[in-house]
């Protein structure tokens, strides 16, 4: 209170004064109490908590707060005895990897000549093709410990933790050498370092540590690193240079023989009746990966149980392929008569255009039973053998086939429907690829207008041309599809009786096989 006369007035009133200073706290003590004591308590508490957490983490041998404790699982040989014989197909990959098995069994043979094994082997391929299985099989065959870790497990919230995990993993591996270290989904840490400001520091440090570790051990100490990825193009070049992951083993989708072999391996696990013909099943399941084939077998077994049988029969397997590809049958979807007719004509339109262009059975089976995936009808294509090259003519015919469904609707009903979005997508995709990537136009000659960005995950593309060219490309795509659509319409109009006959057959029976289709088509 700003009152300079206060003391005088107090004297005037006769107030008594006493010395009271002793009872007040000294400023030093007061500072200690309010400033330092809370700090001490805080630090002590923090220490205690950290210790508790460490004990906890140590006891369970899991990674919680314990800096630098890696959770790479050590697979001892007996845990999961996977052999090369369990991995069906993939012969090239197995041949490539068996060299590593041989080396681990008999390193002297290699060191005598002065050869050193690659330090790292990169398994690349689409998901579900057996990359993890192959890595386990290498360990199983060579009878060595198997450390496995997923790339994403290295990426931690705190900078430096991932790097310490890498150090730890390699520390363990070196103790146990010879051994196999398997890093799944390596692209999670091995992505190209882009050098942007504020980039992912943690990931880069982890990657740097991995690179350092790989340089650190000499070629012949018996630690072999296998890594799997389905995005090889996104990996940092430093990771794929010689001396690190210098060997690349492609693990592709199985071909026809491979699919049959995989089905055989998995069919051993179920009780199947004698009428089961895996040859046919393999033909029907074109484009399926190993994991999908395993799933098909299992779905079939489940279906057998559901219908109260003790063995799996052929129809279980055929139905389960359709389930895996197109979803379950919709039991209560009731198509109106008119809709059913449209769907029948649509599907036959595709098949007929395909058949009249190639003069061979285009389909395995067509059904018009609605599926849970939303498909109202469904055509199972015949495998064209294993084809590695497609001619321009064949691609054009394919586009015409995709437009055949809509063409049939136009001709027969003079009306168009919404059930064509997938056809449109597919036709456009082929047409675009022909123009931008396969050099199949005169104007662009052999210039790439588009690059595939991830080959194993759907094959997305990115444009690499000017805006003007983009416009031109779009025009050409439209032209191409339009021409093929016109061709399909012409083919169907010229064969109107066959179209009617086949569509009515499908409409009544709901299913038509490839053989029945050809019989009707060839009937005069
Ligand atoms: P990826 O690591 O390539 O994604 P996985 O190795 O995990 O694939 O395979 C998944 C499952 O698919 C396996 O457990 C196995 O049942 C089945 N599978 C995949 N490829 C094969 C194959 N070539 N032979 C036998 N089974 C396979
Ligand atoms: Zn269609």
């Amino acid at each position: 209170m700003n009152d300079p006369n206060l003391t005088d007035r107090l004297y005037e009133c006769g107030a008594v004064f006493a010395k009271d200073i002793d009872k007040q706290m000294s400023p030093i003590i007061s500072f200690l109490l309010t400033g330092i004591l809370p700090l001490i308590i805080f630090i002590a508490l923090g220490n205690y908590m950290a210790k508790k957490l460490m004990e906890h983490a140590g006891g369970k041998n899991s990674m919680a707060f314990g800096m630098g404790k890696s959770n790479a699982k050590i697979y001892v040989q007996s845990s999961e005895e996977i052999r090369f014989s369990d991995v069906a197909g993939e012969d090239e990959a197995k041949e490539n990897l068996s060299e590593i098995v041989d080396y681990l069994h008999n390193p002297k043979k290699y060191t005598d000549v002065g050869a050193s094994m690659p330090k790292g082997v990169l398994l690349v391929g689409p998901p579900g093709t057996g990359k993890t299985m192959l890595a386990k099989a290498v360990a199983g065959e060579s009878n060595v410990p198997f450390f496995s870790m997923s790339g994403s497990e290295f990426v931690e919230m705190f900078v430096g933790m991932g790097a310490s995990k890498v150090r730890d993993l390699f520390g363990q591996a070196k103790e146990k050498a010879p051994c196999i270290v398997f890093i799944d989904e390596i692209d999670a840490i091995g992505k190209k370092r882009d050098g942007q400001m504020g980039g992912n520091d943690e990931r880069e440090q982890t990657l740097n540590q991995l690179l350092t570790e790989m340089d650190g051990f000499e070629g012949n100490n018996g630690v072999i690193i296998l890594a799997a990825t389905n995005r090889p193009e996104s990996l940092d070049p430093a990771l794929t240079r010689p001396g690190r992951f210098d060997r690349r083993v492609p693990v592709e989708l199985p071909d026809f023989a491979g699919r049959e072999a995989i089905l055989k391996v998995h069919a051993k696990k179920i009780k199947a009746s004698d009428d089961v013909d895996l040859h046919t099943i393999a033909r029907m399941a074109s484009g399926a990966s190993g994991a999908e084939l395993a799933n098909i077998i299992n779905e079939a077994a489940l279906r057998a149980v559901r219908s109260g049988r003790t063995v799996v029969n052929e129809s279980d397997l055929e139905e389960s392929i359709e389930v895996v590809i197109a979803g379950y049958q919709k039991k209560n979807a009731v198509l109106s008569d008119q809709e059913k007719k449209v769907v029948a004509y649509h599907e036959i339109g595709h098949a007929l255009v395909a058949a009249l262009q190639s003069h061979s059975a285009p389909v395995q089976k067509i059904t018009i039973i609605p599926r849970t995936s939303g498909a109202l009808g469904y055509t199972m294509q015949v495998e064209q053998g294993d084809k590695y090259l497609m001619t321009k003519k064949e691609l054009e015919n394919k586009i015409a086939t995709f437009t055949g469904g809509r063409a049939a609707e136009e001709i027969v009903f003079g009306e168009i429907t919404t059930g064509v979005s997938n056809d449109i997508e597919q036709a456009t995709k082929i047409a675009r690829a022909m123009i931008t990537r396969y050099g199949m136009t005169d104007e662009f000659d052999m210039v790439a207008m588009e690059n595939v960005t991830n080959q194993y995950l759907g094959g997305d593309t990115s444009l690499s041309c000017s805006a003007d060219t983009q416009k031109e490309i779009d025009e050409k795509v439209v032209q191409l599809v339009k021409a093929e659509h016109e061709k399909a319409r012409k083919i169907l109009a010229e064969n109107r009786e066959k179209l009617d006959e086949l569509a009515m057959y499908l409409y009544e029976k709901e299913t038509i096989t490839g053989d029945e289709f050809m019989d009707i088509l060839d009937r005069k």
Side-chain angles (χ1 to χ4, degrees):
M1 192 159 71
N2 192 10
D3 185 0
N5 301 324
L6 178 66
T7 335
D8 293 343
R9 278 194 283 129
L10 281 170
Y11 275 118
E12 276 165 26
C13 302
V16 184
F17 293 82
K19 245 178 153 190
D20 202 17
I21 240 162
D22 287 346
K23 288 205 184 124
Q24 230 167 34
M25 221 184 282
S26 93
I28 297 177
I29 293 183
S30 144
F31 170 71
L32 280 177
L33 271 180
T34 54
I36 305 287
L37 192 67
L39 206 67
I40 291 173
I41 293 174
F42 189 73
I43 289 172
L45 208 68
N47 262 346
Y48 175 74
M49 295 264 281
K51 214 187 247 164
K52 269 283 170 216
L53 272 170
M54 289 269 231
E55 274 166 23
H56 190 69
K60 278 183 162 174
N61 197 13
S62 74
M63 176 80 199
F65 207 77
M67 299 268 187
K69 233 189 172 351
S70 144
N71 59 348
K73 292 157 261 173
I74 303 178
Y75 282 87
V76 195
Q77 299 83 296
S78 59
S79 70
E80 236 178 322
E81 197 47 35
I82 289 185
R83 294 303 180 118
F84 276 149
S85 56
D86 295 320
V87 188
E90 305 299 348
D91 292 330
E92 296 81 7
K94 279 195 267 185
E95 194 178 302
N96 207 321
L97 293 171
S98 60
E99 193 182 35
I100 291 173
V101 175
D102 187 47
Y103 167 76
L104 288 172
H105 275 306
N106 193 358
K108 197 166 173 307
K109 190 164 104 190
Y110 291 81
T111 44
D112 277 354
V113 186
S116 61
M117 261 299 118
K119 286 178 188 170
V121 178
L122 199 58
L123 301 166
V124 298
T129 43
K131 296 184 291 295
T132 312
M133 257 189 126
L134 276 167
K136 284 185 186 165
V138 172
E141 290 280 340
S142 16
N143 236 357
V144 298
F146 180 71
F147 295 83
S148 109
M149 198 141 175
S150 167
S152 59
E153 287 176 61
F154 287 112
V155 182
E156 289 281 341
M157 195 163 51
F158 304 111
V159 174
M161 296 266 277
S164 93
K165 276 186 173 183
V166 172
R167 228 171 305 151
D168 215 63
L169 175 65
F170 279 83
Q172 280 188 44
K174 269 178 240 169
E175 276 170 30
K176 288 265 174 7
C179 67
I180 305 276
V181 174
F182 178 60
I183 306 176
D184 205 356
E185 315 289 350
I186 194 168
D187 42 283
I189 43 170
K191 250 189 240 128
K192 281 194 189 85
R193 290 165 291 188
D194 44 16
Q196 274 172 3
M197 283 293 283
N200 192 336
D201 277 348
E202 162 63 359
R203 216 195 54 225
E204 286 189 8
Q205 278 203 20
T206 311
L207 176 58
N208 286 336
Q209 187 62 40
L210 182 65
L211 297 177
T212 318
E213 290 287 346
M214 290 195 75
D215 285 339
F217 63 87
E218 312 77 51
N220 280 333
N221 74 348
V223 180
I224 304 252
I225 306 165
L226 301 181
T229 178
N230 28 44
R231 316 186 48 194
E233 70 290 328
S234 76
L235 292 181
D236 197 285
L239 204 55
T240 48
R241 79 142 165 76
R244 284 165 186 158
F245 287 101
D246 44 8
R247 193 176 283 188
R248 180 182 282 220
V249 177
V251 186
E252 298 285 348
L253 285 176
D255 56 9
F256 174 55
R259 286 199 302 275
E260 195 177 349
I262 294 173
L263 285 171
K264 271 197 187 127
V265 167
H266 287 280
K268 278 194 204 127
K269 298 176 199 154
I270 60 164
K271 286 209 191 87
S273 72
D274 298 335
D275 74 329
V276 167
D277 178 14
L278 294 178
H279 195 75
T280 324
I281 304 298
R283 187 175 293 285
M284 286 176 154
S286 86
S289 69
E292 278 166 329
L293 291 169
N295 191 15
I296 285 172
I297 296 271
N298 191 47
E299 278 288 338
L302 289 175
R303 186 171 184 267
V305 176
R306 220 177 293 140
S307 40
R309 272 177 281 112
T310 51
V311 289
V312 176
N313 61 27
E314 177 86 9
S315 71
D316 288 332
L317 282 161
E318 280 179 23
E319 175 60 26
S320 95
I321 288 185
E322 289 176 47
V323 167
V324 170
I325 297 172
Y328 290 94
Q329 288 188 5
K330 257 191 194 160
K331 288 283 187 261
N332 50 4
V334 185
L335 286 190
S336 73
D337 222 38
Q338 176 66 11
E339 279 172 334
K340 205 170 141 193
K341 229 175 238 166
V342 172
V343 176
Y345 269 102
H346 179 103
E347 295 299 334
I348 293 293
H350 285 306
L352 197 56
V353 171
L356 291 170
Q357 285 178 134
S358 67
H359 307 286
S360 62
V363 291
Q364 190 90 32
K365 185 176 166 185
I366 306 173
T367 67
I368 50 169
I369 301 165
R371 298 264 160 190
T372 47
S373 66
L376 296 176
Y378 167 69
T379 304
M380 199 182 275
Q381 237 109 25
V382 162
E383 168 102 320
Q384 317 267 327
D386 283 320
K387 234 169 177 330
Y388 299 101
L389 285 177
M390 296 272 277
T391 63
K392 186 176 173 192
K393 188 90 209 140
E394 282 166 335
L395 287 172
E396 284 170 355
N397 287 354
K398 254 188 146 166
I399 298 177
T401 302
F402 280 120
T403 59
R406 165 66 63 88
E409 292 177 32
E410 288 166 330
I411 292 174
V412 177
F413 303 100
E415 190 67 86
I416 52 183
T417 66
T418 51
V420 287
S421 48
N422 186 45
D423 297 341
I424 290 178
E425 235 169 73
Q426 303 269 6
T428 312
K429 209 168 170 185
I430 298 176
R432 267 198 103 76
M434 285 173 71
I435 290 161
T436 59
R437 281 166 41 216
Y438 304 144
M440 288 180 174
T441 56
D442 295 333
E443 290 82 350
F444 297 150
D445 206 59
M446 288 182 59
V447 176
M449 299 295 170
E450 241 178 26
N451 298 310
V452 179
T453 44
N454 53 14
Q455 186 189 354
Y456 293 115
L457 298 172
D460 291 349
T461 53
S462 62
L463 278 170
S464 55
C465 56
S466 70
D468 286 347
T469 322
Q470 266 178 45
K471 193 160 158 267
E472 233 177 293
I473 290 172
D474 290 338
E475 278 162 15
K476 282 197 192 317
V477 171
V478 175
Q479 258 173 33
L480 181 55
V481 175
K482 237 181 179 166
E484 294 307 317
H485 189 170
E486 190 50 52
K487 187 169 98 191
R489 259 195 299 255
K490 192 158 156 276
I491 290 175
L492 291 178
E494 281 167 5
N495 294 276
R496 180 64 200 264
E497 301 96 74
K498 287 292 171 199
L499 177 62
D500 288 337
E501 201 180 342
L502 284 159
M504 283 333 279
Y505 185 94
L506 180 60
Y507 169 76
E508 271 157 29
K509 299 260 159 78
E510 298 202 334
T511 296
I512 183 171
T513 66
D515 292 339
E516 288 167 340
F517 181 92
M518 285 318 274
D519 278 351
I520 297 177
L521 186 59
D522 292 339
R523 209 155 55 198
K524 275 281 146 309

